[in-house]
Each structure stands twice: as C-alpha cells, then as structure tokens.
Amino acid sequence: MENTGKKCKVVAIANQKGGVSKTTTTVNLGIGLARAGKKVLLLDIDPQGSLSASMGIQEPDKLEETLATVMTMIMDGQEVEAGYGILTHEEGVQFLPANIDLAAVEVSLTSAMSREYMLKEYIETVAPHYDYIIADCMPSLGMLTINALAAADTVLIPLQAQYLSLKGLEQLIATIMRIKKRINPALDFEGILLTMVDARTNYAKEIMEMVRGNYGRRIPVFENHIPLSVRVAEASAEGRSIFAHDPKGRAAEAYSVLVEEVLAHGR
Ligand code: ADP
Ligand code: MG
C-alpha cells in the first residue's frame, strides 16, 4: 500500500481534560478523511483503549499486538515489522489499538533514553504508507501525550463548550509551547474545535468569542463546531462513524465541514 499524496501529516488530538470528544473527533475526522480518499491510520494512545472500543474492539485488553507492544519493541531497540498490530475498520481507516498495558509503558518511558521520541521513531516507519496519521491522546499531559506531540505536525484541541476551563486550556497551550521550543520546533496548531455544542444555549457563542479573544491571534479556532447529539454517542457505542450511523444528521454535516477544513489546511 502506498501513500496517495506527498508527505504524511501527523495530527495529535489532545486535551488533558477527559470527556471533551477527543476520541470521537479522532474517529469521525479519520473516517471522514478516508471517505475523501485519503489513507488514514488512527493511533490509540490511551491505556483505556476508548478509540479501540469505538472501532468495534470488544475487549482491547485481550489483544496481543497493540501500541503497548510496539512501544516496548521500540524502547528495546527492536524493529517493528511492517503492518504489525494494525487493524482495518470496515469504513476504510486503519488503526493501531491500545489497552491497559500502555499504562506500564508510560511508566517505563520515564527512564528510557530519548524518551520523548519513542513514538516518533515508530511513526516514521509507518508514515510512508499514509496520508494522515491521527493520534488520539489520553486525558493527561504525561509522557505518552508528550510523545504524541513530539511526533506531530499539528495539534487539534477539542474543547467542550459547556464548561470552559480556561485554566486547563492555558496549561495545555503552555505545554504545547514548551514542546515546540525544546522538542518539536515544527509543531503547529491545527486549531481549537468546539465540541458538544448545545444549540439550546448561548454558551457556544460566548465561549467561541472568549476563546477567539484570548487565543485567536496565536491559535486558529475552527469556524465550524460540533453539535451535542445523541447520534454521535450512539455511533461510537456501535463502533461506527457518524457518517454510517446518521449520514443526514447535523453532526455528520458538522464533521464533513471539519474534514473539509482540515483538508484545506493542507500540510
Ligand atoms: P474524550 O476522548 O475526550 O475523553 P470522548 O470522545 O470519549 O471524549 O467523548 C466522551 C463521551 O461523550 C462519549 O460517551 C461520547 O460518545 C460522547 N460524545 C462525544 N461527542 C459527542 C457529541 N458531539 N454529542 C454527544 N455526545 C458526544
Ligand atoms: Mg478518549
């Protein structure tokens, strides 16, 4: 399998707050890009394995080949065979699952040599086969998230519209800027994406204005936002994308626009 474009773009989906739609955005953006004809690999970088679950894996903890075993091989200086651990979803994306073993990997990373670059080393081996690699980060700013940001071209920050934690966002941006300065100077922002926007409230507009006012000069904020929709949660519970589950709904429309925006950003 060869990559259809020039160079692969690596996007990290990150926010240290849980439940802000990181995994859901990874799945729907990834499948949306695949529907647009791109070769896409999703990486589950969360020991909870939620991305793997959203891809239809019932019991991630029973998997033999995961990101945890890949990271262990890289840390041990072993070569990872082409295609090792990678699974294919029926909607055309490929993914590398994760499970609870990744928690132990995060601990051993702390004392590994070049510990920030282990994931990057792996990504460089698979990148020639893809147009996009999307990394679904865990809800922390620990070593695994740092590894994802060290390997990424851009970071997309999903922000839950209901409760804006400006302090949390400050901390996330400060971490990203530190990584940019010391570890990955080429790291850029894909943008801040407002998620789970409840159309019945005015929060979204206020929050969007607040975010633009505070960060808009430094960080792009997606024009489009993702609505709060029970269809989105149903789709991930069924191991499918919103495009398969409710193709005509508002959420599918919003994710299509997001895919277009990301495609328009190019590399
Ligand atoms: P994170 O990865 O940031 O922890 P998830 O993507 O797992 O967040 O989303 C948290 C929960 O919210 C999940 O149950 C998911 O199905 C649900 N969810 C995500 N996005 C939406 C949305 N736009 N509308 C309704 N529910 C959503
Ligand atoms: Mg998640």
Side-chain angles (χ1 to χ4, degrees):
M1 180 187 28
E2 281 312 311
N3 159 347
T4 52
K6 296 155 287 178
K7 192 178 172 291
C8 174
K9 183 172 190 177
V10 181
V11 182
I13 312 282
N15 188 326
Q16 75 277 32
K17 187 169 174 351
V20 299
S21 211
K22 287 182 291 296
T23 301
T24 306
T25 299
T26 303
V27 169
N28 291 302
L29 173 60
I31 291 178
L33 289 166
R35 290 163 58 94
K38 301 298 178 186
K39 292 217 175 301
V40 181
L41 176 67
L42 309 181
L43 301 177
D44 192 346
I45 312 194
D46 185 344
Q48 288 199 35
S50 343
L51 173 72
S52 307
S54 297
M55 295 269 97
I57 304 288
Q58 309 277 346
E59 294 178 280
D61 289 350
K62 294 206 168 136
L63 293 170
E64 300 272 329
E65 300 185 356
T66 64
L67 181 67
T69 50
V70 164
M71 294 290 280
T72 304
M73 287 156 90
I74 297 277
M75 281 191 281
D76 290 347
Q78 295 171 25
E79 205 161 302
V80 181
E81 266 175 59
Y84 173 93
I86 294 175
L87 302 174
T88 302
H89 183 265
E90 59 188 25
E91 290 179 64
V93 287
Q94 296 198 305
F95 66 103
L96 181 62
N99 61 25
I100 192 67
D101 296 341
L102 197 56
V105 169
E106 172 141 58
V107 176
S108 32
L109 266 176
T110 313
S111 56
M113 207 185 284
S114 312
R115 57 188 186 165
E116 290 92 355
Y117 300 103
M118 295 292 118
L119 184 67
K120 186 180 169 78
E121 204 175 309
Y122 168 67
I123 286 180
E124 282 171 356
T125 68
V126 288
H129 303 291
Y130 297 98
D131 298 308
Y132 287 90
I133 295 178
I134 306 179
D136 180 28
C137 294
M138 64 192 288
S140 88
L141 295 173
M143 274 320 295
L144 284 167
T145 300
I146 291 172
N147 263 260
L149 294 170
D153 294 303
T154 63
V155 51
L156 189 157
I157 304 173
L159 201 63
Q160 190 185 3
Q162 277 81 344
Y163 317 91
L164 180 60
S165 161
L166 272 182
K167 204 172 151 205
L169 187 60
E170 278 297 346
Q171 197 186 13
L172 175 59
I173 292 169
T175 301
I176 293 167
M177 296 317 279
R178 256 200 323 276
I179 287 169
K180 194 170 157 65
K181 185 167 175 197
R182 300 188 191 282
I183 298 176
N184 180 8
L187 181 63
D188 217 335
F189 288 98
E190 194 68 41
I192 296 175
L193 175 69
L194 233 58
T195 59
M196 301 167 148
V197 174
D198 189 342
R200 294 167 303 179
T201 71
N202 280 326
Y203 284 142
K205 234 182 220 156
E206 281 171 32
I207 289 176
M208 196 96 112
E209 272 161 25
M210 200 198 292
V211 170
R212 282 227 171 79
N214 279 301
Y215 304 102
R217 264 179 301 126
R218 281 188 297 156
I219 306 171
V221 181
F222 283 95
E223 211 48 63
N224 166 51
H225 61 248
I226 309 298
L228 183 71
S229 155
V230 67
R231 300 278 177 226
V232 173
E234 286 169 3
S236 59
E238 287 179 9
R240 306 200 285 172
S241 75
I242 191 66
F243 306 111
H245 181 68
D246 184 32
K248 298 211 154 61
R250 283 183 311 125
E253 170 62 24
Y255 271 113
S256 300
V257 176
L258 175 67
V259 168
E260 290 305 318
E261 281 195 70
V262 169
L263 284 171
H265 289 173
R267 270 222 21 103

